Amino acid sequence: MERRHFLKDSLALSAGGWLLAPLLNAGQAAELINSPGAKVNSLAAGTRFTHFWSKCVGAGRANEGLRASWLKQLKTSRELCGFQYCRFHGLFHDDMFVYHEAGGTPVYNWQYIDDLFDRMLSIGVRPFVELSFMPKDLASTENTTFWWKAHSSPPKDYAKWGGLVNAFTQHCVERYGLQEVLQWYFEVWNEPDLHGFWDGTKSQYFELYKTSANAIKAIDHRLRVGGPATSNFVPDERFAGETEDKTKHKTLTVQDINTLEWRGVWIKDFLHYCSAESLPVDFISTHPYPTDWAIDPETKKGAGRTRKVNATKEDMQWLKKTIAESSYPHAEVHLTEWSSSPSSRDAGHDSLQAAAYIIKVNVDCIGLADSLSYWVFTDVFEEGGAGNSIFHGGFGLINYQGIVKPAFHAYRMLHALGDELLQQEEGLIVTRHSTTKKISALLYHYPAEMKTAIGSAVEKEFNTGSIKLFSLQLTGVKPGSGFIVETLDKDHGFGLAAWKAMGSPAFPTREQTAQLKQSAMALKKQSIRADAAGVLSWKRSLPPWTCVLITTTH
């Protein structure tokens, strides 16, 4: 790319004119990277694509969904980000009172599930059903995970587990109708390769899948079931056996983990098992977090190192190829958890960098999956207990107080895109809506100097990279037509920065919370118009991590 000295002068915005608004973060190079301008004919033939990023979003556990704040934030996420499904743990956990035994006889109670599903469906969000965890009366061991003590064991009686799954599925069909439930997904368990989530072996999980799939299909063969819902991709043989072998963590022995070849966990074994057993597999699920969390068997410390920025794309390509070569080439691909890291205390989740990372990965991965489910939509989330600060690195797109994060705006901007692709290149995507013919363009500056996915080194990453000049020219638009330009940057839509500017109050007052909510939602907005010839020209120098959405106003 051509490098030029930093441009000092700004040009006023006019119809068909340019806007230059260079801004520097402390420590960034005072120079401008000039990227090639994009020229797009808005009347050109487009390529249809699906918004796989808004298919599903995650949440912590089922019982949290009975809270007013959880439901309110889900409604906001549905309306502004377009999420269609929500997945969470603990549907069969004891705090949902689903299952107990009386004299060895199973007794079912669906009241809490009904309450949750009723409220979700009224919002317009369907459940992406994760069949977990084990009810205490059905658990074969005492091992639990999380502070709320989710039972992670295999069932003491697989027939009783199958009866629970069958009865639950039948109840859902009776309550919501078969045509509705045919649109749901039933995923068997969560990350069974990790001992914390599954106190059993690979073979025991496969038996759980077999029992669950047969129980669901016994209701109607068209109901969709899948797995294995395994964790991060790995570059070694740690999961080759029945349980994880921590002595085979190759990433603890190399300086650069990105020189290794990564692959999905249990995926091939799962596909082979299901084929041999003639089992249905409607979708494959796994969790391609761009990190490695190998545990050193001696120190018990996690490496937690971050992979390269395009790791998720490479993982998806591996998965797509693996499925195509299997006995289930038409199985859907649902990546039912994904974020910059699998830690609920990662400061990167709250910061501006998350938005550019989310947009880049999703745009780069168009056509590679049926869903990439962000983990999670809300900080009403308690795997590790309550956060010790209103911004504590929680997974959520929205914090506990209802203050949206930059990551929320990333999904809102992605949702605003059309379904016809006109042009895509690094840092830019231009689309058209097939019904309204409106144009939507999204520009994002993920700095080339940042070679990895974002992590928790927030300040260092924030000041990484040079300013980059973006330009876009749209032809064939209606003469004089209006567009709105929304900018997410360090000064607009950044709730964490607004909270720090307020003095980082540990417990904001009601008035402060209202102010933070308003500030976090307030992106910079400008109106521009095409010229008399039907040409819209836009140009701006963007600091790293800035995201810009340009949309037709009528």
Side-chain angles (χ1 to χ4, degrees):
M1 294 182 180
E2 177 188 357
R3 289 180 175 268
R4 296 191 296 178
H5 291 295
F6 177 70
L7 298 180
K8 297 182 178 179
D9 298 328
S10 296
L11 301 180
L13 180 66
S14 62
W18 304 116
L19 174 66
L20 297 178
L23 296 170
L24 282 174
N25 293 325
Q28 286 177 334
E31 59 183 343
L32 184 68
I33 299 175
N34 189 11
S35 62
K39 295 183 179 181
V40 182
N41 180 356
S42 64
L43 300 177
T47 302
R48 292 292 292 268
F49 71 100
T50 59
H51 286 200
F52 72 102
W53 46 74
S54 58
K55 182 80 170 183
C56 185
V57 72
R61 79 180 195 274
N63 191 268
E64 292 162 353
L66 299 175
R67 302 182 189 179
S69 55
W70 190 99
L71 291 163
K72 182 178 181 180
Q73 292 186 24
L74 181 64
K75 185 174 186 293
T76 298
S77 299
R78 165 61 182 168
E79 291 174 347
L80 298 182
C81 302
F83 297 122
Q84 302 167 39
Y85 293 81
C86 186
R87 172 189 179 268
F88 37 76
H89 306 322
L91 192 68
F92 294 162
H93 183 57
D94 288 331
D95 63 3
M96 294 298 285
F97 305 99
V98 169
Y99 180 98
H100 73 275
E101 294 186 5
T105 301
V107 179
Y108 308 127
N109 183 350
W110 312 118
Q111 293 182 82
Y112 278 45
I113 290 181
D114 289 349
D115 187 11
L116 174 59
F117 284 6
D118 287 357
R119 294 176 188 273
M120 288 175 58
L121 291 168
S122 70
I123 292 170
V125 178
R126 293 188 167 101
F128 196 114
V129 180
E130 176 196 305
L131 299 172
S132 76
F133 281 98
M134 197 61 60
K136 182 178 181 179
D137 282 3
L138 195 49
S140 58
T141 75
E142 294 295 324
N143 286 356
T144 63
T145 189
F146 307 134
W147 74 269
W148 41 278
K149 299 187 182 304
H151 286 273
S152 56
S153 80
K156 63 184 180 183
D157 185 325
Y158 277 83
K160 288 183 177 179
W161 169 264
L164 168 61
V165 173
N166 180 269
F168 162 69
T169 307
Q170 181 63 45
H171 173 76
C172 289
V173 169
E174 291 173 354
R175 185 174 184 85
Y176 303 108
L178 178 59
Q179 294 308 309
E180 170 61 34
V181 182
L182 284 173
Q183 299 180 73
W184 298 6
Y185 295 87
F186 293 85
E187 182 183 36
V188 181
W189 213 256
N190 173 74
E191 299 187 351
D193 57 303
L194 300 181
H195 179 71
F197 290 116
W198 179 245
D199 187 26
T201 65
K202 181 193 300 183
S203 295
Q204 286 175 308
Y205 171 74
F206 288 172
E207 185 178 356
L208 188 84
Y209 181 84
K210 179 180 180 178
T211 302
S212 304
N214 287 336
I216 291 168
K217 294 292 187 176
I219 304 299
D220 192 292
H221 73 279
R222 296 171 294 174
L223 292 168
R224 296 182 287 197
V225 63
T230 43
S231 65
N232 304 41
F233 279 44
V234 297
D236 48 43
E237 301 301 318
R238 71 185 77 162
F239 293 113
E242 284 291 308
T243 58
E244 181 181 9
D245 185 346
K246 292 182 171 60
T247 67
K248 295 183 178 180
H249 287 163
K250 187 181 293 185
T251 54
L252 296 173
T253 66
V254 299
Q255 183 174 1
D256 184 1
I257 63 175
N258 289 308
T259 61
L260 303 173
E261 293 184 9
W262 298 72
R263 53 192 176 275
V265 175
W266 289 9
I267 303 296
K268 289 185 177 181
D269 290 348
F270 175 75
L271 290 166
H272 291 156
Y273 170 82
C274 291
S275 178
E277 294 288 327
S278 300
L279 295 176
V281 180
D282 296 299
F283 64 92
I284 293 294
S285 63
T286 190
H287 303 161
Y289 289 102
T291 57
D292 179 71
W293 287 83
I295 303 298
D296 186 324
E298 295 182 3
T299 66
K300 305 300 182 184
K301 293 182 178 180
R305 286 183 286 174
T306 303
R307 295 171 60 193
K308 54 189 172 183
V309 65
N310 62 339
T312 300
K313 181 177 180 179
E314 291 183 358
D315 291 349
M316 285 193 194
Q317 291 171 331
W318 180 93
L319 185 59
K320 194 175 183 71
K321 181 175 183 292
T322 298
I323 294 173
E325 295 172 350
S326 75
S327 300
Y328 303 91
H330 303 297
E332 294 183 23
V333 179
H334 291 285
L335 305 169
T336 48
E337 286 188 27
W338 174 81
S339 183
S340 55
S341 82
S343 169
S344 61
R345 298 296 185 272
D346 188 329
H349 295 148
D350 297 334
S351 198
L352 182 65
Q353 298 96 294
Y357 176 69
I358 288 167
I359 292 172
K360 174 177 171 54
V361 171
N362 278 280
V363 169
D364 286 351
C365 294
I366 288 174
L368 294 178
D370 294 282
S371 72
L372 181 61
S373 180
Y374 191 76
W375 188 255
V376 294
F377 79 88
T378 176
D379 278 352
V380 181
F381 179 97
E382 299 172 345
E383 285 184 2
N388 58 2
S389 167
I390 71 167
F391 289 105
H392 57 273
F395 283 119
L397 299 174
I398 310 175
N399 83 345
Y400 192 93
Q401 288 72 24
I403 302 163
V404 304
K405 305 178 188 180
F408 177 91
H409 290 296
Y411 280 99
R412 187 182 63 81
M413 289 176 164
L414 286 166
H415 181 53
L417 293 175
D419 56 353
E420 294 179 345
L421 180 61
L422 296 179
Q423 185 162 327
Q424 177 185 351
E425 58 187 63
E426 180 59 38
L428 178 146
I429 180 172
V430 183
T431 67
R432 180 176 58 224
H433 297 255
S434 59
T435 53
T436 65
K437 305 305 178 183
K438 290 183 177 181
I439 302 297
S440 295
L442 185 51
L443 303 96
Y444 48 97
H445 185 1
Y446 195 98
E449 296 90 340
M450 185 74 179
K451 303 298 184 183
T452 62
I454 67 166
S456 56
V458 174
E459 293 302 322
K460 179 180 179 181
E461 293 169 357
F462 190 76
N463 294 306
T464 295
S466 301
I467 286 182
K468 184 176 180 180
L469 181 64
F470 285 79
S471 63
L472 173 65
Q473 185 178 82
L474 289 176
T475 63
V477 301
K478 182 180 178 182
S481 57
F483 290 77
I484 189 73
V485 180
E486 297 183 67
T487 301
L488 170 68
D489 60 20
K490 66 184 183 69
D491 298 315
H492 303 91
F494 191 3
L496 175 63
W499 176 64
K500 288 182 176 179
M502 187 180 280
S504 305
F507 305 102
T509 65
R510 294 174 67 186
E511 291 75 18
Q512 287 175 320
T513 300
Q515 181 181 341
L516 288 170
K517 287 181 178 180
Q518 183 178 14
S519 176
M521 283 296 294
L523 273 61
K524 182 178 181 180
K525 293 186 178 182
Q526 298 168 300
S527 297
I528 57 177
R529 291 190 176 279
D531 62 20
V535 177
L536 178 79
S537 297
W538 179 91
K539 192 173 190 178
R540 186 186 294 177
S541 53
L542 302 180
W545 315 114
T546 302
C547 305
V548 177
L549 175 67
I550 303 176
T551 54
T552 310
T553 57
H554 66 279

